[in-house]
Amino acid sequence: MEKKINNSIIKLIQGNITKEEVDAIVNAANSSLMGGGGVDGAIHRAGGPAILAECKEIRNSQGKLSTGQAVATTAGNLKAKYVIHTVGPVYKGGHKREPELLASCYQKSLMIAKEKGCKNIAFPSISTGVYGYPMDKAAKIALSTIAKFLEENSSIFEIRMVLFGEEAFNVFQKTLQEL
Ligand code: AR6
Protein backbone atom coordinates (compact mmCIF):
# COMPACT_ATOMS: atom_id res chain seq x y z
CA MET A 1 0.00 0.00 0.00
CA GLU A 2 1.34 3.42 -0.92
CA LYS A 3 0.31 7.02 -1.33
CA LYS A 4 1.90 9.72 -3.49
CA ILE A 5 2.32 13.22 -2.13
CA ASN A 6 3.94 15.77 -4.47
CA ASN A 7 6.89 13.91 -5.97
CA SER A 8 7.31 11.62 -2.94
CA ILE A 9 5.75 8.42 -1.75
CA ILE A 10 4.69 6.95 1.59
CA LYS A 11 4.94 3.15 1.57
CA LEU A 12 3.60 0.74 4.16
CA ILE A 13 5.60 -2.45 4.61
CA GLN A 14 5.06 -5.36 6.96
CA GLY A 15 8.41 -6.63 8.25
CA ASN A 16 11.58 -6.12 10.22
CA ILE A 17 13.03 -2.61 9.89
CA THR A 18 16.65 -3.81 10.25
CA LYS A 19 16.34 -5.46 6.80
CA GLU A 20 15.47 -2.23 4.98
CA GLU A 21 17.92 -0.83 2.44
CA VAL A 22 17.45 2.91 2.82
CA ASP A 23 19.63 5.94 3.57
CA ALA A 24 18.27 6.27 7.12
CA ILE A 25 16.62 3.90 9.57
CA VAL A 26 14.80 5.46 12.51
CA ASN A 27 15.17 3.89 15.95
CA ALA A 28 12.50 4.08 18.67
CA ALA A 29 15.09 4.70 21.39
CA ASN A 30 14.92 5.90 24.99
CA SER A 31 16.50 8.99 26.55
CA SER A 32 19.58 7.11 27.74
CA LEU A 33 20.58 6.22 24.14
CA MET A 34 22.12 3.11 25.66
CA GLY A 35 19.93 0.57 23.86
CA GLY A 36 16.94 -1.45 25.02
CA GLY A 37 14.38 -3.97 23.75
CA GLY A 38 12.02 -3.90 20.76
CA VAL A 39 13.23 -2.06 17.66
CA ASP A 40 16.09 -0.52 19.64
CA GLY A 41 17.47 -3.95 20.60
CA ALA A 42 17.02 -5.27 17.06
CA ILE A 43 18.85 -2.28 15.51
CA HIS A 44 21.81 -2.46 17.90
CA ARG A 45 22.09 -6.25 17.44
CA ALA A 46 21.98 -6.04 13.65
CA GLY A 47 24.07 -2.87 13.37
CA GLY A 48 26.86 -3.90 15.76
CA PRO A 49 28.85 -1.98 18.40
CA ALA A 50 29.69 1.08 16.28
CA ILE A 51 26.18 2.46 16.85
CA LEU A 52 26.38 2.22 20.65
CA ALA A 53 29.89 3.69 20.59
CA GLU A 54 28.60 6.79 18.82
CA CYS A 55 25.54 6.97 21.09
CA LYS A 56 27.92 7.03 24.06
CA GLU A 57 29.87 9.93 22.55
CA ILE A 58 26.63 11.88 22.04
CA ARG A 59 25.50 11.04 25.55
CA ASN A 60 28.84 12.29 26.95
CA SER A 61 28.76 15.55 25.01
CA GLN A 62 25.03 16.41 25.05
CA GLY A 63 23.56 14.39 27.92
CA LYS A 64 20.28 12.53 27.64
CA LEU A 65 18.03 12.92 24.61
CA SER A 66 14.69 14.52 25.50
CA THR A 67 11.38 13.03 24.46
CA GLY A 68 10.41 14.20 20.98
CA GLN A 69 14.02 14.90 19.94
CA ALA A 70 16.19 13.02 17.43
CA VAL A 71 19.87 12.48 16.72
CA ALA A 72 21.78 10.64 13.97
CA THR A 73 24.62 8.12 14.24
CA THR A 74 26.35 5.70 11.90
CA ALA A 75 24.29 2.67 10.91
CA GLY A 76 27.20 0.28 11.54
CA ASN A 77 26.62 -2.99 9.69
CA LEU A 78 23.10 -2.12 8.59
CA LYS A 79 22.43 -1.41 4.93
CA ALA A 80 21.82 2.26 5.67
CA LYS A 81 24.00 5.35 6.05
CA TYR A 82 22.46 6.56 9.29
CA VAL A 83 20.40 5.46 12.23
CA ILE A 84 18.28 8.33 13.51
CA HIS A 85 17.48 7.77 17.18
CA THR A 86 14.33 9.41 18.49
CA VAL A 87 12.57 9.16 21.84
CA GLY A 88 8.83 8.66 21.69
CA PRO A 89 6.51 9.57 24.55
CA VAL A 90 5.29 7.00 27.06
CA TYR A 91 1.49 6.95 26.63
CA LYS A 92 -0.25 8.09 29.81
CA GLY A 93 -3.79 8.62 28.50
CA GLY A 94 -3.12 11.27 25.86
CA HIS A 95 -3.26 14.48 27.91
CA LYS A 96 0.43 14.79 28.74
CA ARG A 97 1.45 16.29 25.37
CA GLU A 98 1.87 12.77 23.93
CA PRO A 99 0.38 13.63 20.49
CA GLU A 100 2.63 16.67 20.05
CA LEU A 101 5.71 14.79 21.29
CA LEU A 102 5.05 11.83 18.98
CA ALA A 103 4.58 14.19 16.01
CA SER A 104 7.86 15.87 16.96
CA CYS A 105 9.70 12.51 16.70
CA TYR A 106 8.64 12.13 13.05
CA GLN A 107 9.19 15.80 12.23
CA LYS A 108 12.67 16.04 13.81
CA SER A 109 13.78 12.73 12.28
CA LEU A 110 12.68 13.88 8.84
CA MET A 111 14.49 17.21 9.23
CA ILE A 112 17.73 15.41 10.16
CA ALA A 113 17.33 13.04 7.20
CA LYS A 114 16.80 16.03 4.92
CA GLU A 115 19.89 17.81 6.31
CA LYS A 116 21.94 14.65 5.69
CA GLY A 117 20.74 14.45 2.11
CA CYS A 118 18.80 11.20 2.56
CA LYS A 119 16.52 10.26 -0.31
CA ASN A 120 14.68 7.54 1.55
CA ILE A 121 14.00 6.66 5.17
CA ALA A 122 12.35 3.85 7.13
CA PHE A 123 10.35 4.41 10.32
CA PRO A 124 9.05 1.91 12.85
CA SER A 125 5.79 2.74 14.59
CA ILE A 126 7.33 4.83 17.39
CA SER A 127 5.93 4.45 20.95
CA THR A 128 3.48 1.64 20.10
CA GLY A 129 5.44 -1.14 21.83
CA VAL A 130 6.83 -0.81 25.35
CA TYR A 131 5.67 2.82 25.49
CA GLY A 132 2.02 1.78 25.09
CA TYR A 133 0.72 4.29 22.54
CA PRO A 134 -2.56 2.98 21.01
CA MET A 135 -1.81 1.91 17.42
CA ASP A 136 -4.74 3.74 15.80
CA LYS A 137 -3.93 7.05 17.46
CA ALA A 138 -0.20 6.67 16.75
CA ALA A 139 -0.88 5.79 13.09
CA LYS A 140 -2.89 9.00 12.57
CA ILE A 141 -0.12 11.13 14.06
CA ALA A 142 2.66 9.31 12.21
CA LEU A 143 1.04 9.48 8.78
CA SER A 144 -0.35 13.01 9.05
CA THR A 145 3.03 14.35 10.24
CA ILE A 146 4.85 12.58 7.39
CA ALA A 147 2.28 13.84 4.87
CA LYS A 148 2.65 17.42 6.12
CA PHE A 149 6.43 17.18 5.82
CA LEU A 150 6.16 15.90 2.24
CA GLU A 151 3.78 18.71 1.33
CA GLU A 152 6.34 21.24 2.58
CA ASN A 153 9.60 19.54 1.51
CA SER A 154 10.51 17.87 -1.76
CA SER A 155 13.93 16.41 -0.95
CA ILE A 156 13.03 13.00 0.50
CA PHE A 157 11.43 10.78 -2.10
CA GLU A 158 10.40 7.70 -0.23
CA ILE A 159 9.24 7.19 3.33
CA ARG A 160 8.65 3.63 4.45
CA MET A 161 6.63 2.78 7.53
CA VAL A 162 7.82 -0.69 8.52
CA LEU A 163 5.15 -2.35 10.61
CA PHE A 164 5.81 -5.36 12.78
CA GLY A 165 2.92 -7.77 12.30
CA GLU A 166 -0.35 -7.84 10.42
CA GLU A 167 -2.39 -5.97 13.01
CA ALA A 168 -0.15 -2.90 12.92
CA PHE A 169 -0.04 -3.07 9.14
CA ASN A 170 -3.85 -3.17 8.89
CA VAL A 171 -4.29 -0.20 11.22
CA PHE A 172 -1.77 1.88 9.23
CA GLN A 173 -3.37 0.80 5.94
CA LYS A 174 -6.83 1.94 7.06
CA THR A 175 -5.37 5.21 8.37
CA LEU A 176 -3.47 5.92 5.15
CA GLN A 177 -6.61 5.27 3.09
CA GLU A 178 -8.48 7.82 5.19
CA LEU A 179 -5.71 10.44 5.04
N1 AR6 B 1 11.00 -3.89 13.03
C1 AR6 B 1 9.91 -3.09 12.96
N2 AR6 B 1 9.09 -2.86 14.00
C2 AR6 B 1 9.39 -3.47 15.17
C3 AR6 B 1 10.51 -4.32 15.34
C4 AR6 B 1 11.34 -4.51 14.19
N3 AR6 B 1 12.43 -5.28 14.23
N4 AR6 B 1 10.55 -4.76 16.63
C5 AR6 B 1 9.47 -4.22 17.25
N5 AR6 B 1 8.75 -3.46 16.38
P1 AR6 B 1 9.19 -0.59 20.77
P2 AR6 B 1 8.57 2.06 21.91
C6 AR6 B 1 7.53 -2.65 16.61
O1 AR6 B 1 8.81 -1.25 22.04
O2 AR6 B 1 7.17 1.67 22.18
C7 AR6 B 1 12.89 0.00 23.86
O3 AR6 B 1 13.29 -0.80 24.91
C8 AR6 B 1 6.72 -2.98 17.83
O4 AR6 B 1 5.81 -4.04 17.55
O5 AR6 B 1 10.39 -1.05 20.05
O6 AR6 B 1 8.84 3.40 21.27
C9 AR6 B 1 13.61 1.35 23.85
O7 AR6 B 1 14.92 1.24 24.34
C10 AR6 B 1 5.97 -1.68 18.08
O8 AR6 B 1 4.80 -1.57 17.29
O9 AR6 B 1 9.36 1.01 20.97
C11 AR6 B 1 12.75 2.17 24.73
O10 AR6 B 1 13.07 1.99 26.11
C12 AR6 B 1 6.96 -0.61 17.60
O11 AR6 B 1 7.92 -1.32 16.82
C13 AR6 B 1 11.36 1.66 24.48
O12 AR6 B 1 11.53 0.33 24.02
C14 AR6 B 1 7.65 0.15 18.71
O13 AR6 B 1 7.92 -0.71 19.80
C15 AR6 B 1 10.65 2.44 23.40
O14 AR6 B 1 9.34 1.99 23.28
Side-chain angles (χ1 to χ4, degrees):
M1 159 101 202
E2 50 191 57
K3 187 180 178 99
K4 252 194 119 204
I5 296 176
N6 284 335
N7 60 343
S8 305
I9 196 158
I10 303 176
K11 270 192 189 164
L12 304 185
I13 293 166
Q14 192 182 321
N16 176 353
I17 197 166
T18 63
K19 307 286 182 205
E20 293 299 315
E21 295 185 24
V22 281
D23 291 336
I25 290 178
V26 177
N27 181 20
N30 61 63
S31 293
S32 80
L33 289 176
M34 292 297 108
V39 183
D40 200 3
I43 285 176
H44 281 284
R45 272 195 303 279
I51 301 176
L52 189 61
E54 206 175 326
C55 283
K56 282 184 179 157
E57 282 175 26
I58 293 168
R59 179 64 201 270
N60 288 339
S61 61
Q62 302 177 18
K64 287 189 174 189
L65 191 64
S66 303
T67 305
Q69 299 297 315
V71 70
T73 66
T74 173
N77 303 325
L78 294 171
K79 284 184 178 157
K81 292 181 189 143
Y82 307 100
V83 169
I84 298 174
H85 308 263
T86 187
V87 184
V90 175
Y91 190 76
K92 293 176 182 157
H95 300 290
K96 303 264 182 208
R97 295 176 59 232
E98 297 97 321
E100 151 192 356
L101 290 166
L102 185 60
S104 170
C105 289
Y106 287 93
Q107 163 72 17
K108 292 267 163 67
S109 298
L110 287 165
M111 287 309 293
I112 290 177
K114 181 185 168 179
E115 280 161 24
K116 300 268 185 203
C118 298
K119 298 294 172 209
N120 48 25
I121 179 169
F123 280 98
S125 173
I126 299 161
S127 281
T128 58
V130 176
Y131 283 179
Y133 217 113
M135 194 64 76
D136 55 338
K137 291 186 169 66
K140 272 187 198 132
I141 294 168
L143 293 172
S144 60
T145 307
I146 291 169
K148 186 167 183 280
F149 177 88
L150 293 179
E151 279 156 15
E152 294 167 357
N153 299 272
S154 54
S155 54
I156 299 177
F157 300 117
E158 188 179 314
I159 297 180
R160 302 183 193 169
M161 279 296 321
V162 184
L163 291 325
F164 211 49
E166 200 177 343
E167 206 185 316
F169 182 83
N170 290 340
V171 172
F172 270 76
Q173 180 164 265
K174 187 168 178 285
T175 309
L176 189 59
Q177 277 159 358
E178 289 166 0
L179 200 72

